[in-house]
Amino acid sequence: MLRFLARRILGAAVITVLISAITFFLFFALPSEPALMSCGKNCTPDALAVINKNLGLDQPVPVQYWHYMAGIFTGRDFSVGHCPAPCFGYSFSNQQPVWDTIVDRFPTTLSITLGGAVVFLTVGVGIGMLAAAFRGTWIDKFFSSLSLLGNALQIYFVGVIALAVLVSGLHWMDNPAYHPITEDPVKWFTGMLIPWLVLSIIFIANYSRMTRSQMIEQLAEDHVRTARAKGLSRRTVFFRYAWRGALAPIVTIFGIDLGSLFGGAIITETTFSLHGLGRLAVSSVSETDLPTLMAVMLVGCTAIVIANIAVDAAYAAIDPRVRLA
């Protein structure tokens, strides 16, 4: 198991470095001048040269990339002072430490993604199991029809409808807003509830259909029919035998969907005006803010990679054949 995890961690580190390098070098392929943002309207060539020097933009791009990556672990010295590790530099747009902005925005995105994942896994898998248990009945047809409808919806459309109906119309829920869970867990939950539901709608539809098909397939397997022939209860056969076999593909798909989940969080934050990493990434692209964009990419990539390692570990625990492959 340790060797299995070591291979996954090594591969994850290589992927993270490759993504950071691609993002960094593509940024400098854009026809833009980042120093102009800090220079202002009445910018002179001398002032622009000073800003390029202070930001390290006067050096070759590979050298800039090396200094950037090294600064994450060891810190860097800028004209405004020393930036301690983890140092992601200073924003081109507001000259503030990027790491402070990331620390401020990350809890919002983490709350949206984790909460949405819990909702769609619980509801989606539960609906799929219920549809498989009552295959061919009106329950199965009802949930199958709902899954097709949910799969056709989009976050930005459902978000506007949810705000209009649940918040402005019926006043059943609070307007979406982030409150730290350490300060007020109740406000944190009520403020994130609508974003969780909206983000999870599409995933619920996919996971309910996938769980249903996997459960039906497992219930037709020989070992499940043998367990049923031995006189075991339907509940035992359903959960101990069929559910265990259907769980592995679901875990695999969840690992693949982690990137889509982060992308959905970006749209969700924009829809509900939540200040998370998603909106920060969009603004950094429009403002040509490389340090902020790089920090968001690295933090998001690292979070997804860590989550994928956890999913791989869970998959290996469910199916020992993976550890031996």
Side-chain angles (χ1 to χ4, degrees), residues 98-145:
V98 175
W99 179 245
D100 294 344
T101 306
I102 295 295
V103 171
D104 181 63
R105 299 289 190 96
F106 184 71
T108 302
T109 302
L110 184 64
S111 297
I112 294 175
T113 52
L114 289 183
V118 170
V119 171
F120 75 70
L121 283 176
T122 303
V123 178
V125 173
I127 289 177
M129 293 176 63
L130 187 63
F134 295 93
R135 179 186 181 187
T137 65
W138 68 269
I139 297 177
D140 180 20
K141 296 178 182 178
F142 174 75
F143 284 123
S144 297
S145 301

Side-chain angles (χ1 to χ4, degrees), residues 105-121 178 188 192 195-197 199-200 203 254 257-269 274 276-278 299-300 303-304 307:
R105 299 289 190 96
F106 184 71
T108 302
T109 302
L110 184 64
S111 297
I112 294 175
T113 52
L114 289 183
V118 170
V119 171
F120 75 70
L121 283 176
Y178 174 75
W188 171 79
M192 290 285 102
W196 290 342
L197 295 176
L199 175 61
S200 61
F203 293 96
F254 176 69
D257 284 341
L258 288 175
S260 301
L261 185 62
F262 184 74
I266 294 176
I267 302 176
T268 305
E269 291 172 7
L274 297 173
L277 293 182
V299 171
I304 293 175

Side-chain angles (χ1 to χ4, degrees), residues 33 38 45 95 123 134 138 162 171 222 296 310:
E33 184 65 45
S38 301
Q95 289 77 50
V123 178
F134 295 93
W138 68 269
H171 303 287
D222 292 338
V296 173

Side-chain angles (χ1 to χ4, degrees), residues 20-93:
S20 68
I22 292 173
T23 304
F24 196 93
F25 287 98
L26 283 179
F27 177 88
F28 285 94
L30 299 175
S32 60
E33 184 65 45
L36 287 175
M37 298 186 59
S38 301
C39 195
K41 295 181 179 179
N42 301 320
C43 185
T44 64
D46 292 338
L48 189 63
V50 171
I51 294 175
N52 278 320
K53 181 176 179 58
N54 292 338
L55 295 177
L57 298 175
D58 59 334
Q59 299 174 340
V61 176
V63 176
Q64 293 184 47
Y65 175 71
W66 169 255
H67 288 165
Y68 182 87
M69 295 301 294
I72 296 176
F73 302 97
T74 62
R76 292 179 63 185
D77 291 321
F78 291 88
S79 59
V80 296
H82 179 71
C83 177
C87 176
F88 289 90
Y90 290 85
S91 171
F92 289 167
S93 58

Side-chain angles (χ1 to χ4, degrees), residues 254-286:
F254 176 69
I256 298 174
D257 284 341
L258 288 175
S260 301
L261 185 62
F262 184 74
I266 294 176
I267 302 176
T268 305
E269 291 172 7
T270 305
T271 303
F272 298 111
S273 299
L274 297 173
H275 297 284
L277 293 182
R279 292 192 69 189
L280 184 62
V282 174
S283 63
S284 64
V285 171
S286 61

